[in-house]
Amino acid sequence: MTGRRFTSVALARFRSTPQLVAIILAVLVVVIAATVSALLKPGSDGAAAPADDAKGRSAAPPPGRTAPNRPPTPTHGHIPAGPPAVPDSIQHQAESPGKYVNITIDDGPDPEWTPKVLQVLKKHHVHAVFCMIGPQAQANPALVKRVVGEGHRLCDHTVHHNTAMDKKPMAYQTSEILDAWNMIQHAAGGARVYYYRAPGGAFTPPSRAVAAQHGMRPLGWNIDTKDFDRPGVGIILHTMKHEIHNGPTILFHDGGGNRAQTVAALDQALTWLKQQGYGFSFPKVD
């Protein structure tokens, strides 16, 4: 059979089987479509696609991390800013210039004695700084809110009132300051804690820096009335009068035991200070 005759016969047979033609065309369309899809796949550069993991999920970066070369997913929602940093030097001076003193009250709040101290301050229209122990504040949140609501300021006086904390590791000092700060703020409903007073004056440069970075000015004192030792109302008052020239910041206590002498002495002290022409202020913060 010649080649021309063979071709004629093959064409005749091909034309006589239209189903075969349809099948071949369908196969060609599928092959072409698959090839085009692979070439146009996003990110395809001819390399194999990432394999799925054993559970059928596409490979992905672990939670909390972003894929390489991709910007992180933006987060939404407002995170409130903390108080501004303040100087870390120990403050004694009053905000108001001139003849002013700062009344500071330590070691509370105490459910029996703090309300009595507040009554004396209210009687004389005087505002004070309350240096609070963290767990005491945590246990008496209504009293902390009352202190703030009556116009007084808060001070961090640590968690355990350890007067030797300046000899402890820095991690301990930081925990004492910041744990108390959180307790006091939470008890106060978010009110600012303006100052940090180290127990017994046990400041260190790093601990002062920690407090200052959290908006708390390190706070000293000029006059220790010695009321904590309960020497008698007259002696407490005499000590304050004798040391008034030392500076404006005066130390009393509303915690640590029976403070009946403090309450009586504070009442007399505020009367005497007014008679001497003193006004009442807060310690400087900035």
Side-chain angles (χ1 to χ4, degrees), residues 1 5 39 43 47 70 87 123-124 127 142 163 166 192 206 217 222 247 253 256:
M1 184 181 295
R5 185 179 176 186
L39 291 174
R70 294 182 185 176
K123 170 185 173 182
H124 291 274
H127 292 127
T163 56
D166 56 334
R192 181 177 178 180
R217 184 69 184 263
N222 304 109
H253 295 80

Side-chain angles (χ1 to χ4, degrees), residues 104-109 129-133 153-157 195 197 219 254:
T104 63
I105 314 291
D106 281 22
D107 296 357
V129 175
F130 283 77
C131 300
M132 296 186 174
I133 305 297
R153 287 186 182 178
L154 300 175
C155 172
D156 179 338
H157 204 32
Y195 311 96
R197 174 173 278 170
L219 178 60
D254 63 340

Side-chain angles (χ1 to χ4, degrees), residues 113 227 229-233 236 258-266:
W113 300 108
D227 67 313
D229 298 327
R230 299 192 290 274
V233 173
I236 295 170
N258 187 314
R259 300 270 66 94
Q261 291 183 15
T262 296
V263 173
L266 178 63

Side-chain angles (χ1 to χ4, degrees), residues 12-34:
R13 291 178 179 175
F14 184 78
R15 288 168 182 165
S16 66
T17 56
Q19 294 87 351
L20 181 60
V21 174
I23 292 171
I24 293 172
L25 290 175
V27 171
L28 287 173
V29 169
V30 171
V31 171
I32 292 170

Side-chain angles (χ1 to χ4, degrees), residues 118-128 150 152 270 274 279-281:
L118 287 170
Q119 288 173 3
V120 172
L121 293 170
K122 188 173 184 179
K123 170 185 173 182
H124 291 274
H125 306 286
V126 171
H127 292 127
E150 294 186 7
H152 308 287
L270 296 180
K274 286 184 177 181
F280 299 91
S281 183

Side-chain angles (χ1 to χ4, degrees), residues 38-39 43-49:
L39 291 174
S44 174
D45 56 0

